[in-house]
Amino acid sequence: MPTPATPDPTRRNDAVRRAILAAALDQVGEVGYAKLTIERIAKTAGVGKQTIYRWWPSKGALFFDAFLDLAGDGEAAALPDTGDLAADLTLVLTATVAELNDERLDRAMRALHTEIVLDQTLAADYATRLDNPMRELKKARLRAAQDAGQLAADVDLEVAVDLIWGPILNRWLHRTAPLTSEYAEQVVDTALRGLQPRPTSGPDR
Amino acid sequence: MPTPATPDPTRRNDAVRRAILAAALDQVGEVGYAKLTIERIAKTAGVGKQTIYRWWPSKGALFFDAFLDLAGDGEAAALPDTGDLAADLTLVLTATVAELNDERLDRAMRALHTEIVLDQTLAADYATRLDNPMRELKKARLRAAQDAGQLAADVDLEVAVDLIWGPILNRWLHRTAPLTSEYAEQVVDTALRGLQPRPTSGPDR
């Protein structure tokens, strides 16, 4: 048991860890991911390279933790459920659009994204630690809507998640057009109502 | 005007160019994109590094051309129009799924994709030379369906394209689940009919 005079190694480690993660995010904005070296991150954080390699096997793994740190808490929360599915989804997607339009987050997410696409080990880690938990929260909200009769009973929830969130991710990745809250609204509306003509005699939505 | 005895420099250049593009695709399968050097591609193609740098400013630009060469002709064709939108889209998406499940094309496309996500110049080039022309062909097919009353008149065709093609791209990129032709069918069906419950008294689809 440490005496009161002993510095707390856990707390000191945590401070160093946070300094490294912050340095990684700052520097990716300066030089871009490809040219960013562990050496540069170490120098910015005021630590030795060995300190970084002790905790992270690669630049990709470091960025993965930096990203979890940056976006993790907000993302892990359950989706809002006011009873109005379209309004709730629009709120969530609009927040996502705002995040993706934030330059610092944009660069960090592009860096992480490309690592995930190329590195199967990191992709598995990403799926386990971030994507799957978020996907379960999205599906939980859609399941509640299904129970409330706002979503067709025979809709596959995996496909539903892909249809609602996929277009936002793609437009961001490929910069095909500006990523706006109006687009988020259109995606939600179109995903819910479908592309086919609505029967004019059917019930109002 | 060249005499019959003069070797045709255009044809020779073209053969060398094709050898380099083939070497790039072969070698990305061997060592992955990150570790692949221009030197290795040059050696495989049996040319000097300078020959490659004379034509392509970067590894990304070289892969871009390799990819255009590999997939270009097939992709640039108009979408089928049998009058049955769902069947035509399912056919097209099933073909895309098969391509993405081809290991050689998968690796080349991942390499290209990550370059595009990180490099704005290449992204603009990709949009101009490949993505926009393909997007116009997709929109042309959807516009025909709109004229035939199979697609709602007020649907934004950009959103429609994103909703139909986005989920396939995402599942491939993130390997969230197997990319199958059944999934392609589900995406088409859900995008066309929407996630909301269908009125039981409405017309059959």
Side-chain angles (χ1 to χ4, degrees), chain A residues 24-25 106 109 124 130:
Chain A
L25 291 176
D106 172 274
M109 283 191 63
L130 195 59

Side-chain angles (χ1 to χ4, degrees), chain A residues 33-34 107 110-111 113-120 123 126-127 131-132 135 142 149-156 158-160 162-167 169-177 183 186-187 190-199 201-203 205, chain B residues 33-34 107 110-111 113-120 123 126-127 131-132 135 142 149-156 158-160 162-167 169-177 183 186-187 190-199 201-203 205:
Chain A
Y33 184 77
R107 283 188 186 255
R110 282 183 194 278
H113 176 84
T114 55
E115 288 301 292
I116 285 165
V117 168
L118 294 177
D119 181 340
Q120 292 209 29
Y126 174 80
D131 195 53
N132 291 350
R135 192 167 262 272
L142 296 179
Q150 293 173 353
L151 216 63
D154 62 347
V155 158
D156 183 308
E158 293 288 340
V159 176
D162 292 348
L163 221 64
I164 295 166
W165 275 270
L169 180 67
N170 286 334
R171 183 170 281 205
W172 167 66
L173 277 176
H174 288 157
R175 301 183 175 94
T176 34
Y183 178 68
Q186 275 185 305
V187 167
T190 314
L192 290 179
R193 301 209 293 163
L195 300 167
Q196 282 181 337
R198 262 77 62 184
S201 59
R205 62 173 291 258
Chain B
Y33 184 77
R107 283 187 186 254
R110 283 183 192 277
H113 176 85
T114 56
E115 288 302 292
I116 285 166
V117 168
L118 294 177
D119 181 340
Q120 292 210 28
Y126 174 80
D131 194 53
N132 291 349
R135 191 167 263 272
L142 296 180
Q150 294 174 354
L151 216 62
D154 63 347
V155 158
D156 183 308
E158 292 289 341
V159 176
D162 293 348
L163 221 65
I164 295 165
W165 276 270
L169 181 66
N170 286 335
R171 183 170 281 205
W172 168 66
L173 276 176
H174 289 157
R175 302 182 175 93
T176 34
Y183 178 68
Q186 275 186 305
V187 167
T190 315
L192 291 180
R193 303 209 294 162
L195 300 167
Q196 284 182 337
R198 262 77 64 184
S201 58
R205 64 176 289 260

Side-chain angles (χ1 to χ4, degrees), chain A residues 78-79 81 134-147 157 161:
Chain A
L79 271 64
D81 188 350
M134 281 174 60
R135 192 167 262 272
E136 286 309 315
L137 294 170
K138 292 168 185 171
K139 281 161 65 183
R141 178 65 189 87
L142 296 179
R143 203 172 289 118
Q146 224 167 15
D147 293 343
L157 295 184
V161 168

